[in-house]
Amino acid sequence: MKRKLKMGMVGGGIGAFIGGVHRRAATIDGQVELVCGAFSSTPEKSKASGEELYLPPERVYADYNEMILKEKELPEGERMDFVSVVTPNHMHFAPAKMALENGFPVVCDKPLAFTIEEAQELRELVHKTGLPFCITYNYTGYPMVKQAKAMIKEGKLGKIRKVVVEYPQGWLSDRLEDTEQKQASWRTDPSKAGIANCMGDIGTHAANLAEYISGLEITEMCADLTSFVGGRTLEDDGNVLLHFNNGAKGILHASQISVGEENNLNIRVYGETGGLTWHQIEPNTLIYKTPDTTQILRTAVGPISGSASLHTRTPAGHPEGYIEAFANVYLNFIYTLKAKLAGQEPAEEYLDFPDVDEGVRGMAFIKTVVEANTSEKKWYPYVKY
Protein backbone atom coordinates (compact mmCIF):
# COMPACT_ATOMS: atom_id res chain seq x y z
CA MET A 1 0.00 0.00 0.00
CA LYS A 2 1.63 3.22 -1.17
CA ARG A 3 -0.28 5.73 0.93
CA LYS A 4 -0.85 6.68 4.53
CA LEU A 5 -3.58 4.95 6.45
CA LYS A 6 -6.54 7.16 7.26
CA MET A 7 -7.67 7.30 10.88
CA GLY A 8 -11.02 8.29 12.34
CA MET A 9 -11.28 9.12 16.03
CA VAL A 10 -14.07 8.76 18.58
CA GLY A 11 -13.50 11.01 21.60
CA GLY A 12 -10.29 12.91 22.27
CA GLY A 13 -11.67 16.40 21.81
CA ILE A 14 -10.90 19.70 23.54
CA GLY A 15 -9.70 19.13 27.12
CA ALA A 16 -9.01 15.42 26.66
CA PHE A 17 -5.57 14.06 27.52
CA ILE A 18 -5.36 10.66 25.90
CA GLY A 19 -6.75 11.72 22.53
CA GLY A 20 -3.76 13.96 21.89
CA VAL A 21 -1.42 11.14 22.90
CA HIS A 22 -3.07 8.78 20.40
CA ARG A 23 -2.89 11.35 17.60
CA ARG A 24 0.80 12.04 18.16
CA ALA A 25 1.62 8.36 18.53
CA ALA A 26 -0.30 7.33 15.41
CA THR A 27 1.30 9.96 13.18
CA ILE A 28 4.88 10.05 14.48
CA ASP A 29 6.18 7.67 11.79
CA GLY A 30 4.37 9.32 8.89
CA GLN A 31 2.22 6.26 8.19
CA VAL A 32 -1.15 7.67 9.35
CA GLU A 33 -3.23 10.81 8.91
CA LEU A 34 -6.30 11.83 10.89
CA VAL A 35 -9.12 12.41 8.41
CA CYS A 36 -12.29 12.51 10.50
CA GLY A 37 -13.73 12.29 13.96
CA ALA A 38 -16.62 12.45 16.40
CA PHE A 39 -14.63 14.10 19.15
CA SER A 40 -17.13 14.80 21.88
CA SER A 41 -20.46 13.88 23.42
CA THR A 42 -21.97 17.05 21.96
CA PRO A 43 -21.99 18.10 18.28
CA GLU A 44 -20.86 21.60 19.22
CA LYS A 45 -17.73 20.43 21.04
CA SER A 46 -16.98 17.93 18.31
CA LYS A 47 -17.16 20.69 15.71
CA ALA A 48 -14.91 22.97 17.76
CA SER A 49 -12.39 20.15 18.22
CA GLY A 50 -12.40 19.45 14.49
CA GLU A 51 -11.68 23.11 13.78
CA GLU A 52 -8.69 23.02 16.15
CA LEU A 53 -7.39 19.98 14.25
CA TYR A 54 -7.92 21.70 10.86
CA LEU A 55 -10.26 19.02 9.57
CA PRO A 56 -12.80 19.81 6.85
CA PRO A 57 -16.23 20.48 8.43
CA GLU A 58 -17.89 17.67 6.48
CA ARG A 59 -15.54 15.12 8.11
CA VAL A 60 -16.33 16.27 11.66
CA TYR A 61 -19.36 14.35 12.88
CA ALA A 62 -21.97 14.83 15.58
CA ASP A 63 -21.54 11.30 16.92
CA TYR A 64 -19.81 8.01 16.16
CA ASN A 65 -22.93 6.53 14.51
CA GLU A 66 -22.94 9.27 11.91
CA MET A 67 -19.17 9.00 11.42
CA ILE A 68 -19.09 5.26 10.85
CA LEU A 69 -22.11 5.17 8.51
CA LYS A 70 -21.06 8.18 6.42
CA GLU A 71 -17.42 7.11 6.20
CA LYS A 72 -18.53 3.68 5.03
CA GLU A 73 -20.24 5.31 2.04
CA LEU A 74 -17.01 6.97 0.86
CA PRO A 75 -14.76 5.25 -1.69
CA GLU A 76 -11.74 3.26 -0.52
CA GLY A 77 -8.71 5.48 -0.28
CA GLU A 78 -10.85 8.41 0.83
CA ARG A 79 -12.75 6.93 3.77
CA MET A 80 -11.10 6.16 7.08
CA ASP A 81 -9.20 2.86 7.23
CA PHE A 82 -9.59 2.32 10.97
CA VAL A 83 -11.16 3.84 14.07
CA SER A 84 -9.35 4.96 17.21
CA VAL A 85 -11.58 4.93 20.32
CA VAL A 86 -10.27 7.27 23.04
CA THR A 87 -13.34 7.94 25.17
CA PRO A 88 -13.78 7.30 28.92
CA ASN A 89 -14.22 3.62 29.80
CA HIS A 90 -18.01 3.48 29.62
CA MET A 91 -17.97 4.58 25.98
CA HIS A 92 -15.43 2.10 24.58
CA PHE A 93 -17.79 -0.74 23.73
CA ALA A 94 -20.48 0.81 21.51
CA PRO A 95 -18.26 2.60 18.94
CA ALA A 96 -15.79 -0.30 18.82
CA LYS A 97 -18.63 -2.75 18.21
CA MET A 98 -20.24 -0.60 15.52
CA ALA A 99 -16.92 -0.06 13.78
CA LEU A 100 -16.23 -3.79 13.62
CA GLU A 101 -19.76 -4.54 12.40
CA ASN A 102 -19.21 -2.09 9.55
CA GLY A 103 -15.83 -3.46 8.52
CA PHE A 104 -13.47 -1.05 10.25
CA PRO A 105 -10.47 -2.24 12.30
CA VAL A 106 -10.13 -0.65 15.74
CA VAL A 107 -7.52 0.76 18.09
CA CYS A 108 -9.06 1.10 21.56
CA ASP A 109 -7.67 2.72 24.66
CA LYS A 110 -7.57 0.48 27.72
CA PRO A 111 -9.44 -0.98 29.45
CA LEU A 112 -11.22 -2.76 26.63
CA ALA A 113 -14.77 -2.15 27.85
CA PHE A 114 -16.97 -1.25 30.82
CA THR A 115 -17.82 -4.84 31.78
CA ILE A 116 -16.35 -8.27 31.18
CA GLU A 117 -19.46 -9.21 29.20
CA GLU A 118 -18.89 -6.33 26.78
CA ALA A 119 -15.26 -7.35 26.44
CA GLN A 120 -16.23 -10.92 25.59
CA GLU A 121 -18.69 -9.71 22.98
CA LEU A 122 -16.00 -7.60 21.31
CA ARG A 123 -13.61 -10.56 21.32
CA GLU A 124 -16.21 -12.76 19.61
CA LEU A 125 -16.80 -10.06 17.01
CA VAL A 126 -13.09 -9.60 16.32
CA HIS A 127 -12.60 -13.34 15.88
CA LYS A 128 -15.67 -13.53 13.64
CA THR A 129 -14.67 -10.63 11.37
CA GLY A 130 -10.92 -11.26 11.39
CA LEU A 131 -10.33 -7.51 11.58
CA PRO A 132 -7.19 -6.22 13.33
CA PHE A 133 -7.92 -4.92 16.83
CA CYS A 134 -5.41 -3.21 19.10
CA ILE A 135 -5.74 -2.36 22.79
CA THR A 136 -3.21 0.27 23.88
CA TYR A 137 -1.24 -1.29 26.71
CA ASN A 138 1.42 1.13 25.60
CA TYR A 139 4.19 0.25 28.06
CA THR A 140 4.85 -2.91 26.05
CA GLY A 141 6.17 -0.63 23.30
CA TYR A 142 9.40 0.45 25.04
CA PRO A 143 12.53 -1.04 23.40
CA MET A 144 14.00 -2.13 26.74
CA VAL A 145 10.72 -3.79 27.73
CA LYS A 146 10.98 -5.81 24.52
CA GLN A 147 14.63 -6.51 25.35
CA ALA A 148 13.63 -7.84 28.78
CA LYS A 149 10.96 -10.07 27.21
CA ALA A 150 13.47 -11.43 24.68
CA MET A 151 16.08 -12.19 27.34
CA ILE A 152 13.60 -14.10 29.48
CA LYS A 153 12.37 -16.03 26.45
CA GLU A 154 16.00 -16.93 25.64
CA GLY A 155 16.45 -18.32 29.16
CA LYS A 156 18.90 -15.67 30.39
CA LEU A 157 17.24 -15.70 33.82
CA GLY A 158 16.50 -19.41 34.07
CA LYS A 159 13.14 -20.42 35.46
CA ILE A 160 11.27 -17.35 36.72
CA ARG A 161 10.71 -17.30 40.47
CA LYS A 162 9.48 -13.82 41.35
CA VAL A 163 7.93 -10.78 39.64
CA VAL A 164 7.58 -7.43 41.42
CA VAL A 165 5.72 -4.68 39.55
CA GLU A 166 4.88 -1.27 40.99
CA TYR A 167 2.88 1.64 39.63
CA PRO A 168 2.64 4.45 42.18
CA GLN A 169 1.22 7.88 41.39
CA GLY A 170 0.29 10.73 43.72
CA TRP A 171 -2.08 12.85 41.68
CA LEU A 172 -5.27 11.70 43.47
CA SER A 173 -3.95 12.09 47.01
CA ASP A 174 -6.73 14.62 47.66
CA ARG A 175 -10.20 15.15 46.17
CA LEU A 176 -9.07 16.55 42.85
CA GLU A 177 -12.41 15.46 41.40
CA ASP A 178 -14.11 18.23 43.40
CA THR A 179 -12.27 20.82 41.32
CA GLU A 180 -14.02 19.58 38.16
CA GLN A 181 -10.70 18.38 36.80
CA LYS A 182 -11.91 16.27 33.86
CA GLN A 183 -9.48 13.35 34.19
CA ALA A 184 -10.10 12.96 37.92
CA SER A 185 -13.87 13.38 37.61
CA TRP A 186 -14.56 10.48 35.29
CA ARG A 187 -11.94 8.12 36.70
CA THR A 188 -13.42 8.30 40.19
CA ASP A 189 -17.01 8.00 38.96
CA PRO A 190 -18.29 4.37 38.89
CA SER A 191 -20.80 5.25 36.17
CA LYS A 192 -17.93 6.15 33.82
CA ALA A 193 -14.88 4.25 35.12
CA GLY A 194 -16.58 0.96 36.02
CA ILE A 195 -15.96 -1.20 39.07
CA ALA A 196 -12.41 0.08 39.70
CA ASN A 197 -10.44 3.30 39.61
CA CYS A 198 -6.79 2.68 40.46
CA MET A 199 -6.78 -0.95 39.34
CA GLY A 200 -8.74 -0.20 36.18
CA ASP A 201 -6.56 2.76 35.27
CA ILE A 202 -3.00 1.71 36.18
CA GLY A 203 -3.18 -1.66 37.96
CA THR A 204 -4.22 -3.31 34.72
CA HIS A 205 -1.13 -1.81 33.04
CA ALA A 206 1.07 -3.31 35.75
CA ALA A 207 -0.51 -6.75 35.40
CA ASN A 208 -0.20 -6.64 31.61
CA LEU A 209 3.46 -5.62 31.82
CA ALA A 210 4.23 -8.42 34.29
CA GLU A 211 2.73 -11.04 32.00
CA TYR A 212 4.19 -9.55 28.80
CA ILE A 213 7.77 -9.45 30.04
CA SER A 214 7.76 -12.71 31.99
CA GLY A 215 5.80 -14.72 29.43
CA LEU A 216 3.77 -16.11 32.35
CA GLU A 217 0.12 -15.87 33.30
CA ILE A 218 -1.34 -14.86 36.65
CA THR A 219 -3.43 -17.72 38.03
CA GLU A 220 -4.62 -16.42 41.41
CA MET A 221 -4.28 -13.45 43.72
CA CYS A 222 -4.74 -12.09 47.22
CA ALA A 223 -5.88 -8.46 47.06
CA ASP A 224 -6.21 -5.55 49.47
CA LEU A 225 -7.82 -2.47 47.89
CA THR A 226 -8.47 0.80 49.74
CA SER A 227 -10.11 4.16 49.15
CA PHE A 228 -8.02 6.41 51.38
CA VAL A 229 -9.55 9.74 50.33
CA GLY A 230 -12.82 10.37 52.14
CA GLY A 231 -15.99 10.25 50.08
CA ARG A 232 -14.37 8.45 47.17
CA THR A 233 -16.39 5.40 46.10
CA LEU A 234 -13.73 3.60 44.09
CA GLU A 235 -10.32 2.49 45.36
CA ASP A 236 -7.28 4.72 45.04
CA ASP A 237 -4.68 2.21 46.26
CA GLY A 238 -4.09 -1.52 45.96
CA ASN A 239 -1.67 -4.21 47.10
CA VAL A 240 -1.87 -7.61 45.43
CA LEU A 241 0.01 -10.89 45.91
CA LEU A 242 0.21 -12.99 42.76
CA HIS A 243 0.69 -16.62 41.77
CA PHE A 244 1.85 -17.43 38.24
CA ASN A 245 1.27 -20.51 36.13
CA ASN A 246 4.87 -21.81 36.46
CA GLY A 247 4.84 -21.59 40.28
CA ALA A 248 6.43 -18.13 40.44
CA LYS A 249 5.23 -15.63 43.03
CA GLY A 250 4.61 -11.93 42.55
CA ILE A 251 3.75 -8.60 44.10
CA LEU A 252 1.72 -5.91 42.35
CA HIS A 253 1.39 -2.48 43.95
CA ALA A 254 -0.63 0.30 42.30
CA SER A 255 -1.48 3.59 43.95
CA GLN A 256 -2.78 7.06 43.12
CA ILE A 257 -2.29 8.46 46.64
CA SER A 258 1.49 7.98 46.90
CA VAL A 259 2.26 11.64 47.51
CA GLY A 260 5.08 13.04 45.38
CA GLU A 261 5.16 10.17 42.92
CA GLU A 262 4.70 11.11 39.27
CA ASN A 263 4.34 8.00 37.13
CA ASN A 264 6.80 5.62 38.75
CA LEU A 265 6.07 2.39 36.90
CA ASN A 266 8.82 -0.18 37.43
CA ILE A 267 9.30 -3.94 37.30
CA ARG A 268 11.80 -6.49 38.63
CA VAL A 269 11.90 -10.09 37.46
CA TYR A 270 14.03 -12.73 39.20
CA GLY A 271 14.87 -16.20 37.90
CA GLU A 272 17.10 -19.03 39.06
CA THR A 273 20.20 -17.54 37.41
CA GLY A 274 19.58 -13.82 36.97
CA GLY A 275 17.37 -10.79 37.41
CA LEU A 276 16.15 -7.80 35.41
CA THR A 277 15.08 -4.32 36.51
CA TRP A 278 13.38 -1.63 34.41
CA HIS A 279 12.04 1.80 35.44
CA GLN A 280 9.82 3.80 33.10
CA ILE A 281 11.34 7.02 34.45
CA GLU A 282 14.67 5.81 32.96
CA PRO A 283 13.27 3.94 29.95
CA ASN A 284 16.49 3.52 27.96
CA THR A 285 18.12 1.46 30.72
CA LEU A 286 17.66 -2.22 31.58
CA ILE A 287 19.68 -3.68 34.45
CA TYR A 288 20.68 -7.34 34.19
CA LYS A 289 22.14 -9.03 37.26
CA THR A 290 23.69 -12.46 37.82
CA PRO A 291 25.42 -13.74 40.97
CA ASP A 292 28.74 -12.46 39.59
CA THR A 293 27.97 -9.41 37.44
CA THR A 294 25.75 -6.41 36.92
CA GLN A 295 25.25 -5.34 33.32
CA ILE A 296 23.67 -2.08 32.18
CA LEU A 297 21.89 -2.50 28.85
CA ARG A 298 21.04 0.64 26.92
CA THR A 299 18.72 1.34 24.01
CA ALA A 300 20.64 1.31 20.68
CA VAL A 301 23.91 0.28 22.34
CA GLY A 302 25.63 -3.05 21.84
CA PRO A 303 24.03 -6.42 21.12
CA ILE A 304 20.32 -6.01 21.86
CA SER A 305 17.50 -8.14 20.56
CA GLY A 306 16.03 -7.74 17.11
CA SER A 307 12.69 -6.68 18.57
CA ALA A 308 14.31 -3.97 20.72
CA SER A 309 16.27 -2.71 17.70
CA LEU A 310 13.20 -2.72 15.47
CA HIS A 311 11.37 -0.46 17.92
CA THR A 312 14.22 2.04 18.40
CA ARG A 313 14.05 5.26 16.39
CA THR A 314 16.92 7.41 17.64
CA PRO A 315 20.71 7.01 18.07
CA ALA A 316 22.14 6.01 21.43
CA GLY A 317 21.87 8.66 24.14
CA HIS A 318 18.66 10.17 22.78
CA PRO A 319 15.89 9.20 25.22
CA GLU A 320 12.84 7.50 23.78
CA GLY A 321 9.84 7.89 26.02
CA TYR A 322 6.10 7.59 26.49
CA ILE A 323 4.98 8.87 23.07
CA GLU A 324 7.52 6.74 21.21
CA ALA A 325 6.47 3.61 23.12
CA PHE A 326 2.83 4.40 22.37
CA ALA A 327 3.82 4.90 18.73
CA ASN A 328 5.43 1.45 18.62
CA VAL A 329 2.08 -0.12 19.53
CA TYR A 330 0.43 1.87 16.75
CA LEU A 331 3.22 1.12 14.26
CA ASN A 332 2.90 -2.65 14.63
CA PHE A 333 -0.87 -2.39 14.26
CA ILE A 334 -0.42 -0.15 11.21
CA TYR A 335 1.94 -2.55 9.42
CA THR A 336 -0.33 -5.47 10.26
CA LEU A 337 -3.33 -3.63 8.84
CA LYS A 338 -1.42 -2.54 5.73
CA ALA A 339 -0.43 -6.14 5.05
CA LYS A 340 -4.00 -7.34 5.41
CA LEU A 341 -5.34 -4.57 3.15
CA ALA A 342 -2.79 -5.69 0.55
CA GLY A 343 -3.94 -9.30 0.87
CA GLN A 344 -0.69 -10.37 2.54
CA GLU A 345 0.25 -12.02 5.80
CA PRO A 346 1.85 -9.55 8.22
CA ALA A 347 5.43 -10.20 9.31
CA GLU A 348 5.61 -11.88 12.70
CA GLU A 349 7.49 -9.00 14.32
CA TYR A 350 4.61 -6.64 13.52
CA LEU A 351 2.07 -8.84 15.28
CA ASP A 352 3.69 -7.78 18.55
CA PHE A 353 0.93 -5.46 19.79
CA PRO A 354 -1.73 -5.99 22.49
CA ASP A 355 -4.84 -7.46 20.89
CA VAL A 356 -8.43 -8.09 21.90
CA ASP A 357 -7.50 -11.24 23.83
CA GLU A 358 -5.16 -9.22 26.03
CA GLY A 359 -7.94 -6.68 26.38
CA VAL A 360 -10.27 -9.36 27.73
CA ARG A 361 -7.53 -10.58 30.05
CA GLY A 362 -7.13 -7.03 31.33
CA MET A 363 -10.85 -6.84 32.06
CA ALA A 364 -10.62 -10.21 33.81
CA PHE A 365 -7.83 -8.81 36.00
CA ILE A 366 -9.99 -5.85 37.05
CA LYS A 367 -12.96 -8.07 37.86
CA THR A 368 -10.83 -10.64 39.68
CA VAL A 369 -8.90 -8.14 41.80
CA VAL A 370 -12.10 -6.40 42.91
CA GLU A 371 -13.74 -9.72 43.82
CA ALA A 372 -10.58 -10.96 45.55
CA ASN A 373 -10.59 -7.85 47.73
CA THR A 374 -13.94 -8.79 49.29
CA SER A 375 -13.56 -12.58 49.18
CA GLU A 376 -13.00 -14.64 52.31
CA LYS A 377 -10.61 -16.82 50.30
CA LYS A 378 -6.94 -16.13 50.85
CA TRP A 379 -6.21 -17.00 47.22
CA TYR A 380 -8.81 -16.02 44.66
CA PRO A 381 -8.63 -17.69 41.21
CA TYR A 382 -7.97 -15.57 38.13
CA VAL A 383 -10.82 -16.71 35.91
CA LYS A 384 -10.14 -17.09 32.18
CA TYR A 385 -13.14 -15.51 30.51
Side-chain angles (χ1 to χ4, degrees):
M1 175 176 287
K2 297 182 179 180
R3 65 171 175 83
K4 294 182 179 182
L5 289 182
K6 299 180 183 300
M7 178 174 76
M9 180 166 278
V10 179
I14 295 171
F17 161 69
I18 203 65
V21 172
H22 276 257
R23 287 190 290 271
R24 290 190 290 274
T27 58
I28 197 171
D29 291 299
Q31 298 293 321
V32 168
E33 60 179 325
L34 178 70
V35 297
C36 65
F39 298 105
S40 181
S41 56
T42 69
E44 295 77 18
K45 287 184 179 179
S46 183
K47 180 181 178 182
S49 298
E51 289 175 352
E52 282 199 357
L53 295 167
Y54 304 104
L55 291 176
E58 67 273 14
R59 302 293 289 275
V60 181
Y61 300 101
D63 55 50
Y64 69 84
N65 288 280
E66 181 186 31
M67 183 184 84
I68 291 170
L69 293 178
K70 287 194 173 181
E71 288 293 314
K72 187 179 180 181
E73 294 174 355
L74 297 175
E76 185 178 351
E78 183 179 341
R79 64 172 177 255
M80 63 182 180
D81 293 300
F82 71 96
V83 177
S84 184
V85 179
V86 295
T87 60
N89 301 355
H90 70 298
M91 283 296 295
H92 288 179
F93 172 72
K97 179 174 184 287
M98 186 174 181
L100 292 168
E101 289 174 336
N102 285 273
F104 292 107
V106 174
V107 175
C108 183
D109 201 51
K110 51 102 320 250
L112 177 57
F114 192 65
T115 67
I116 190 69
E117 291 78 16
E118 289 181 349
Q120 289 173 303
E121 187 173 343
L122 285 178
R123 179 176 60 188
E124 291 175 6
L125 192 52
V126 170
H127 291 173
K128 178 181 177 181
T129 61
L131 293 169
F133 191 104
C134 174
I135 183 85
T136 50
Y137 283 115
N138 53 290
Y139 300 109
T140 64
Y142 281 101
M144 288 294 98
V145 165
K146 295 186 181 297
Q147 174 69 18
K149 179 181 178 68
M151 291 176 69
I152 290 172
K153 188 175 181 180
E154 291 168 7
K156 297 289 188 182
L157 273 61
K159 182 181 178 182
I160 303 303
R161 290 172 168 171
K162 187 164 188 174
V163 180
V164 181
V165 61
E166 301 173 306
Y167 202 152
Q169 300 173 336
W171 73 295
L172 288 178
S173 56
D174 56 23
R175 285 191 61 82
L176 186 61
E177 58 265 39
D178 289 346
T179 68
E180 298 184 1
Q181 204 266 16
K182 186 175 181 179
Q183 303 305 318
S185 296
W186 78 257
R187 282 178 169 83
T188 57
D189 181 352
S191 70
K192 295 181 174 63
I195 60 174
N197 167 34
C198 180
M199 285 296 158
D201 191 25
I202 59 176
T204 184
H205 270 304
N208 175 264
L209 190 66
E211 292 192 332
Y212 179 81
I213 288 178
S214 71
L216 304 176
E217 289 189 353
I218 300 166
T219 56
E220 54 185 2
M221 62 182 66
C222 176
D224 179 20
L225 309 184
T226 306
S227 178
F228 278 105
V229 176
R232 185 172 286 163
T233 304
L234 299 176
E235 91 291 348
D236 47 32
D237 183 84
N239 303 287
V240 190
L241 298 177
L242 306 171
H243 284 171
F244 291 87
N245 59 341
N246 77 329
K249 306 297 176 66
I251 302 169
L252 187 155
H253 152 59
S255 176
Q256 295 163 320
I257 51 84
S258 296
V259 177
E261 295 287 358
E262 298 172 2
N263 207 62
N264 194 12
L265 174 63
N266 65 88
I267 186 168
R268 286 158 282 164
V269 183
Y270 303 100
E272 293 175 335
T273 60
L276 291 171
T277 300
W278 179 79
H279 288 259
Q280 197 220 188
I281 202 166
E282 186 62 43
N284 280 30
T285 298
L286 179 67
I287 302 172
Y288 172 48
K289 295 180 180 180
T290 69
D292 304 312
T293 63
T294 296
Q295 184 179 358
I296 307 298
L297 302 173
R298 295 281 293 166
T299 302
V301 177
I304 61 174
S305 71
S307 181
S309 297
L310 181 68
H311 295 91
T312 299
R313 292 178 177 78
T314 58
H318 296 75
E320 297 201 34
Y322 179 75
I323 298 296
E324 289 87 352
F326 220 112
N328 281 334
V329 174
Y330 258 98
L331 190 63
N332 288 351
F333 169 83
I334 289 161
Y335 281 130
T336 295
L337 177 54
K338 279 193 166 187
K340 287 185 174 292
L341 290 174
Q344 302 168 354
E345 285 297 316
E348 185 176 352
E349 58 265 30
Y350 293 124
L351 294 172
D352 181 17
F353 61 87
D355 61 15
V356 71
D357 295 315
E358 289 178 73
V360 172
R361 188 153 180 83
M363 289 297 298
F365 169 79
I366 296 168
K367 188 173 188 293
T368 303
V369 78
V370 170
E371 291 176 352
N373 179 60
T374 58
S375 173
E376 294 182 359
K377 298 178 181 178
K378 179 179 179 180
W379 290 104
Y380 195 83
Y382 192 120
V383 180
K384 291 188 177 181
Y385 289 92

